[in-house]
């Protein structure tokens, strides 16, 4: 275990680590562009140059001391790059001294020679490493009076990634990502010297399902998202930690919101789930349904149309309809898109209030989606969790999804309570559902099931709720609201940008729709109470406390612990995985 | 047909005195309101001149209809009565103010009587009242009720302070005002205003005989009319609007009019008591008109107004020149300076009169 | 140090203590002023033409080939009153980016000129326009149609910025 000294701080680290890793483990950030913990070391940006040395020894083997009794350091003849220099016993590293600073200044000046400095039109501005180091380590002026190099500014490397050659500082992060992580080695440097630029090999396109991660790891704005391009400045959005609902991997994400609309999703580092990455599909699809085609208030059917109504009317109508049927005639369908909390209360509602045994849920399996990296074949985020909290088929007495169509046709099932899922998207169910007398649906978006429903209860999407998802590896992860509804508007903890904080009703930029939707468990509680259940859960956390108290696998978990450890595995709440240091390629300044 | 006309004519001749009286009341009330309105206009104009501004110039030629526009606006404005106000008194206070200001004019003569046919017509609503001066003084004392009630009934601390200040100020200065007039009375030997004016005929104006009394009366008039530098009851910087803070619309307008009507009253009293009223030595003789002709009366009225206007100008001029007194300064001036001076004036007048009478000069 | 030396009693001489001559002097001063010509400007008829240094309504510079603005939103960020809203979009022009929506809420604007100061393109400048009257809140939100002013009309301000910014 080598002992090293960084900026006067004595650090014990493990052998084989590089200086930059050892420093990062101890919260010391050495400026860098090309180094990324998820990629191999290339050492070509030279930004992480640090002054290294060793205590000088006298002829007799003892350490030399100056007049103050401090050991005399024999500094190296040249600076070393922190990303490729392994630590050694007794090594002394200076990341802030005059020599280091001079080197950093020189590198910054060098990198900025051909950089166009078009920050005003660059999407990276505000989260740009070059910009940030420009403030921290640059003199702010250039001695370069000559013409800057002109390169291609709009090259589509793939269907989702746009490349701007002038902004590129040739750090090769994207090339290494394509080679090592995406395993689609199509990117390479071409030309030499200051004409160097990045291209795809002829006849290829960088269309890997993970291609958009290069946008995040690009330290400058050379790689931008074609989907997001120029939609918003970084500082105008609020970023809320969340979990991707696209598949059962449960990738940790950040949700970028402006004017109550999700504009983009970014991966969030979680070494135990998705490391630093997420798939393009999620980035491109998992936010649009939050913004579009929403059910913005509860509705009840009158004749052929669904009419918006109040929550009181809708829940009363739902309870009134359900009371007409015998327990055995009611089928309750949970949702793998719902949270543990939602499904827990749904199971409780079915078993103890409706007293039916007909509980099951619909699996969203898609084998074409799965791959060997992050994507899984289960397109719902919480299939494992809802089984744990009680939404599962009872083989002895209950009707399952497999027998449901048949039972409906036999008129054994006359009423259905569907939470969240669009089961009518499946054509078998769609035709069967037309024969149902009473169909009560929780839904966030208009779909085939809501078109058939008698009562539609507007529910939240993953971006508007607080709760937990359990991923394929039984890791319970915490989700919090990023988008405001009429209910959670301005609740404590909702991330807000400057525009959210100070917007008034007469500002056009603050008029994003607040929908009258509720979390599923709230709706269920309201209906159950009309049956005399007398539940009084005040928030998602109180439901989760109930889960943690009653279901063994969850015992010991709490929202605080889930946030602290970025998720806990079922049944192992007392032995969480180590937190480690979370590396973020860029840090966003608070608004 | 003719019988109806006869009937009307008979009625008219039977009640001719009452009709003349009504006409005079109508003239005086309307004239006074007009005077107040134009006084506001001139106040604004003069203040503008003093500030190197132009002043109202948009409504009508030279802005002459500005006051009408203002009054019209006041009529259209909402009349707000505060929830916690004493509604009865809140309603009645402005009526007292304007009523009292108007009532004073009953006894103020604007000239000698003249003859139409064999009918003697006086330039005064209530001629020949031998306690005219006393009536004026008492009425101006009643005026304080309007302001005090307004301040108290509004149930607002600023209004209340304004009302209290007004009461204290008026009582303080009424004393010196009344006492300053004793000298005038001693000289005229009557409380009848016409008699007082006649006593000053031939240039024996009281301003020359009683200069100290005039100054005391002048200063006290400023205080009585709540004009700067004695406008503490409505001191805007400290009391918002003083007693009329909680008044809006025409009720506020009535206070406003009353203030200007009082200013005219005070000026008219100064003209009558100190500047010889409508007397102008040599003027009437030079015109050579017979005594008691309507033309003489008209000239007399003109002379009266000619004396009135400079005093009104002086009122306005002072307002835009001098700052407001502090409350203690106001009280010191009233009780420690004005009152002793007024008393001294009586003594000096008495002594001088006795001496002059002893030597038969008077 | 004798503080009692500076009382009103000590400062004033007899005539000043008597007030009356001083009052007369004051009255004389105001009377003198009454005969001086007024300094009033008859506004709707006589208008004031501000100089280049005047900070009136912020406007966008319109050049022959379109607006200078690249929708960087720095004005929006720096605006202390949050008066500016910008929505960028992509163009095929050389500058890549342009404001598809640029709105200034004149009810929020405080005419501080920070937007002009921060603008990297000198695309938003303070104009001489000081006549801003609106009859409802929606009218006060000026869009690109009202904000874009041909560069020829803004020469005074651009000259001022060149010289003093």
């Amino acid at each position: 275990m080598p002992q090293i000294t960084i900026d006067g701080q004595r650090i014990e680290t493990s052998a084989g680590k590089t200086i930059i890793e050892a420093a990062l483990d101890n919260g010391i950030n050495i400026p860098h562009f090309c180094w990324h913990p998820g990629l191999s070391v290339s050492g070509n940006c030279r930004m992480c140059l640090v002054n290294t040395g060793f205590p000088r020894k006298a002829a007799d083997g003892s350490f030399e001391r100056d007049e103050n009794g401090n050991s005399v350091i024999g500094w190296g003849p040249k600076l070393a790059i922190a990303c490729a220099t392994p630590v050694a016993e007794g090594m002394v590293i200076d990341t802030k001294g005059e020599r280091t600073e001079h080197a950093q200044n020189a590198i910054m000046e060098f990198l900025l020679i051909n950089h166009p400095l078009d920050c005003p039109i660059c999407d990276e501005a505000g989260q740009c490493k070059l910009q940030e180091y420009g403030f921290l380590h640059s003199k702010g002026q250039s001695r370069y009076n000559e013409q800057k190099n002109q390169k291609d500014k709009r090259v589509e490397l793939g269907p989702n990634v746009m490349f701007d050659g002038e902004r590129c500082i040739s750090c090769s992060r994207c090339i290494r990502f394509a080679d090592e992580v995406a395993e689609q080695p199509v990117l390479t440097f071409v030309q030499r010297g200051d004409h160097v630029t990045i291209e795809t090999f002829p006849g290829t396109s960088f269309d890997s399902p993970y291609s958009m991660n290069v946008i995040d790891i690009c330290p400058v704005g050379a790689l931008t998202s074609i989907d997001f391009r120029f939609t918003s400045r970084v500082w105008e959005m609020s970023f809320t930690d969340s979990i991707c609902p696209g598949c059962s991997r449960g990738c940790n994400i950040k949700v970028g919101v402006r004017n109550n609309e999700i504009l983009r999703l970014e991966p969030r580092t979680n070494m135990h789930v998705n490391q630093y990455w997420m798939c393009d599909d999620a980035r491109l699809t998992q936010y649009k349904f939050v913004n579009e085609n929403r059910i913005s208030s509860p509705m009840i059917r009158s004749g052929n149309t669904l009419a918006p109504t109040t929550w009181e009317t809708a829940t009363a109508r739902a309870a009134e309809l359900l009371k007409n049927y015998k327990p055995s005639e009611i089928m309750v369908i949970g949702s793998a898109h719902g949270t543990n909390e939602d499904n827990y209360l749904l199971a409780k509602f079915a078993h103890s209030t409706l007293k039916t045994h007909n509980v099951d849920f619909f699996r969203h399996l898609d084998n074409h989606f799965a791959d060997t990296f992050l994507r899984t074949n289960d397109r719902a985020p919480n299939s494992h969790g809802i089984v744990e909290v009680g939404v599962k088929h009872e083989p002895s007495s209950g009707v399952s999804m497999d027998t449901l169509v048949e039972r409906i046709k036999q008129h054994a099932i006359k009423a259905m309570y569907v939470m969240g899922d669009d089961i009518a998207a499946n054509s078998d169910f769609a035709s069967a559902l037309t024969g149902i007398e009473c169909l009560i649906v929780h839904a966030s978006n208009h779909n085939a099931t809501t078109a058939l429903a008698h009562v539609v209860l507007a529910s939240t999407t993953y971006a508007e709720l607080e709760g937990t998802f359990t991923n394929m590896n039984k890791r319970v992860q915490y989700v919090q609201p990023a988008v405001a509804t009429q209910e959670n508007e301005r609740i404590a903890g909702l991330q807000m940008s400057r525009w959210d904080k100070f917007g008034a009703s007469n500002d056009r930029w603050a008029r994003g729709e607040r929908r009258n939707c509720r979390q599923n468990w709230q709706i269920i509680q309201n209906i159950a109470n009309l049956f005399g259940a007398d539940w009084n859960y005040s928030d998602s956390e109180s439901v989760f406390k109930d889960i943690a108290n009653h279901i063994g696998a969850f015992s010991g978990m709490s929202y605080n612990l889930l946030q602290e450890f970025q998720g806990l595995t079922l049944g192992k709440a007392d032995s969480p995985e180590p937190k480690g240091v979370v590396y973020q390629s860029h840090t966003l300044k608070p608004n | 047909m003719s019988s109806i006309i006869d009937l009307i004519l008979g009625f008219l001749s039977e009640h001719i005195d009452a009709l003349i009286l009504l006409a005079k009341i109508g003239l005086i009330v309307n004239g006074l309101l007009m005077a107040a309105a134009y006084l506001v206009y001139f106040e604004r104009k003069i203040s503008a001149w003093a500030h190197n501004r132009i002043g109202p110039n948009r409504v009508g030629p030279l802005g002459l209809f500005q006051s009408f526009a203002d009054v019209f606006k006041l009529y259209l404005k909402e009349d707000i009565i505060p929830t916690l106000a004493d509604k009865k008194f809140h309603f009645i206070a402005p009526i007292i103010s304007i009523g009292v200001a108007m009532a004073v004019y009953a006894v103020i003569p604007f000239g000698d009587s003249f003859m139409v046919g064999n009918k003697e017509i006086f330039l005064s609503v209530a001629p020949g009242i031998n306690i005219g001066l006393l009536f004026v003084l008492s009425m101006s004392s009643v005026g304080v009720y309007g302001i005090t009630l307004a301040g108290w009934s509004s149930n607002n601390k600023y209004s209340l302070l304004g009302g209290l200040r007004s009461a204290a100020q008026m009582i303080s200065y009424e004393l010196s005002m009344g006492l300053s007039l004793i000298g005038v009375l001693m000289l005229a030997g009557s409380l009848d205003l016409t008699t007082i004016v006649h006593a000053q005929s031939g240039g024996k104006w009281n301003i020359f005989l009683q200069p100290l009394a005039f100054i005391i009366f002048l200063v006290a008039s400023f205080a009585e009319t709540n004009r700067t530098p004695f406008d503490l009851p409505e001191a805007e910087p400290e009391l918002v609007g003083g007693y009329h803070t909680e008044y809006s619309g025409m009720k506020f307008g009535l206070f406003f009019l009353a203030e200007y009507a009082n200013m005219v009253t005070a000026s008219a009293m100064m003209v009558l008591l100190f500047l010889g009223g409508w007397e102008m030595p040599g003027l009437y003789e030079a015109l050579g008109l017979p005594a008691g002709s309507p033309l003489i009366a008209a000239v007399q009225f003109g002379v009266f107004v000619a004396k009135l206007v400079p005093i009104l100008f002086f009122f306005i001029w002072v307002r835009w020149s001098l700052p407001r007194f502090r409350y203690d300064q106001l009280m010191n001036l009233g009780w420690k300076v004005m009152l002793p001076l007024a008393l001294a004036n009586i003594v000096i007048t008495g002594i001088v009169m006795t001496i002059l009478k002893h030597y038969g000069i008077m | 140090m004798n503080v009692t030396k500076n009382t009103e009693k000590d400062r004033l001489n007899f005539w000043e203590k008597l007030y009356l001559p001083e009052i007369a002097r004051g009255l004389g001063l105001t009377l003198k002023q009454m005969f001086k010509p007024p300094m009033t400007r008859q506004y709707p008829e006589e208008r004031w033409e501000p100089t280049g240094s005047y900070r009136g309504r912020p406007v966008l510079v319109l050049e022959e080939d379109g607006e200078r603005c690249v929708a960087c939103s720095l004005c929006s960020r720096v605006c202390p009153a949050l008066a500016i809203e910008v929505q960028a979009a992509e163009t095929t022009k050389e500058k890549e980016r342009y404001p598809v929506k640029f709105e200034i809420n004149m009810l929020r604007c405080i005419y501080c000129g920070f937007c002009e100061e921060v603008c990297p393109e000198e695309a938003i400048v303070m104009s001489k326009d000081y006549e801003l009257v609106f009859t409802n809140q929606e009218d006060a939100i000026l869009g690109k149609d009202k904000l874009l002013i041909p560069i020829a009309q803004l020469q005074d301000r651009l000259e001022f910025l060149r010289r003093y910014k």
Side-chain angles (χ1 to χ4, degrees), chain C residues 1 3 10 13 15 25 40 49-50 58 65 71 83 85 88 96 100 102-103 110 121 123 130 141 144 146 152 156:
Chain C
M1 198 166 69
V3 279
D10 298 320
N13 64 29
W15 291 108
R25 238 158 53 89
T40 314
E49 177 67 16
D65 56 341
E85 184 193 4
E96 288 189 280
V100 69
F102 197 109
E103 288 179 350
I110 58 170
E121 303 284 325
Y130 54 83
I141 301 176
K144 265 173 80 177
K146 299 217 177 66
D156 279 0

Side-chain angles (χ1 to χ4, degrees), chain A residues 220-238:
Chain A
V220 293
L223 296 164
T224 51
S225 160
I226 292 174
D227 180 51
F228 177 79
R229 218 162 137 83
F230 302 157
T231 305
S232 170
R233 301 320 303 253
V234 171
W235 56 82
E236 290 173 350
M237 292 184 281
S238 65

Side-chain angles (χ1 to χ4, degrees), chain A residues 15-49:
Chain A
K17 282 205 168 179
T18 56
I19 295 173
I20 202 167
E21 285 170 339
L24 196 68
D25 287 346
N26 291 280
I28 297 167
N29 210 343
I30 297 173
H32 60 276
F33 288 113
C34 71
W35 181 76
H36 190 284
L39 302 173
S40 63
V41 173
S42 73
N44 61 6
C45 74
R46 317 309 287 182
M47 189 64 201
C48 62
L49 282 171

Side-chain angles (χ1 to χ4, degrees), chain A residues 450-492:
Chain A
T450 59
L452 298 168
H454 298 99
V455 179
V456 177
L457 301 157
S459 65
T460 52
T461 61
Y462 77 102
E464 289 144 341
L465 53 77
E466 186 181 28
T468 53
F469 287 138
T470 311
N471 80 350
M472 60 185 296
N473 296 324
K474 306 207 167 183
R475 188 182 184 88
V476 181
Q477 302 189 101
Y478 174 74
V479 193
Q480 58 193 321
V483 174
T485 64
Q486 283 183 15
E487 291 225 325
N488 75 2
E489 171 115 60
R490 306 283 153 114
I491 60 164

Side-chain angles (χ1 to χ4, degrees), chain A residues 502-522:
Chain A
F502 301 113
S505 59
N506 56 353
D507 292 313
R508 289 195 186 152
W509 37 263
R511 289 187 193 160
E513 188 186 359
R514 267 76 172 157
R515 299 168 186 93
N516 188 15
C517 53
R518 290 183 177 173
Q519 298 193 24
N520 289 319
W521 67 260
Q522 286 175 298

Side-chain angles (χ1 to χ4, degrees), chain A residues 22 64 72 136 214 258 276 285 307 327 333 407 440 450 463 486 517 522 541 562-563:
Chain A
E64 275 183 33
V72 179
L136 293 174
V214 297
R258 188 190 66 181
Y276 313 95
T285 60
I333 299 180
R407 291 299 179 90
I440 296 163
T450 59
Q486 283 183 15
C517 53
Q522 286 175 298
E541 191 162 12
L562 290 176
Q563 281 177 281

Side-chain angles (χ1 to χ4, degrees), chain A residues 39 115 118 121-125 127-128 152-178 187-189 197-200 206 210-230 234 264 266 283 586, chain C residues 96:
Chain A
L39 302 173
H115 191 82
D118 56 350
I121 62 170
C122 178
D123 269 347
E124 190 81 356
Q127 56 177 29
C128 175
D152 288 339
K153 282 188 79 71
R154 273 181 272 197
V155 185
E156 288 185 23
L157 292 184
N160 299 319
V161 181
M162 183 80 91
F163 175 64
D164 182 323
E166 290 184 357
R167 291 181 195 148
C168 178
I169 57 165
S170 307
C171 73
S172 81
R173 267 184 174 186
C174 50
I175 299 174
R176 280 174 286 147
F177 176 84
L187 298 180
T188 187
F189 281 131
T197 186
I198 291 170
E199 276 181 15
T200 51
F206 186 45
Y210 298 94
S211 66
M212 289 173 85
N213 287 302
V214 297
I215 297 158
D216 299 316
I217 59 173
C218 183
V220 293
L223 296 164
T224 51
S225 160
I226 292 174
D227 180 51
F228 177 79
R229 218 162 137 83
F230 302 157
V234 171
R264 75 177 190 203
E266 278 179 20
R283 274 187 214 253
H586 50 74
Chain C
E96 288 189 280

Side-chain angles (χ1 to χ4, degrees), chain A residues 44-109:
Chain A
N44 61 6
C45 74
R46 317 309 287 182
M47 189 64 201
C48 62
L49 282 171
V50 288
N51 199 9
T52 59
F54 291 91
R56 201 177 279 163
K57 276 182 182 169
D60 59 357
S62 67
F63 288 112
E64 275 183 33
R65 303 276 168 188
D66 62 10
E67 58 270 28
N68 297 327
N70 297 323
S71 52
V72 179
I73 310 295
W75 294 108
K78 288 168 82 178
L79 304 183
I81 48 171
C83 66
T85 310
V87 293
E89 177 63 44
M91 192 182 244
V92 179
I93 296 143
D94 177 25
T95 72
K96 295 194 175 75
E98 200 184 319
R99 231 176 139 197
T100 318
E101 206 169 82
H102 183 258
Q104 287 167 343
N105 274 335
I107 295 294
M108 280 307 293
E109 191 179 1

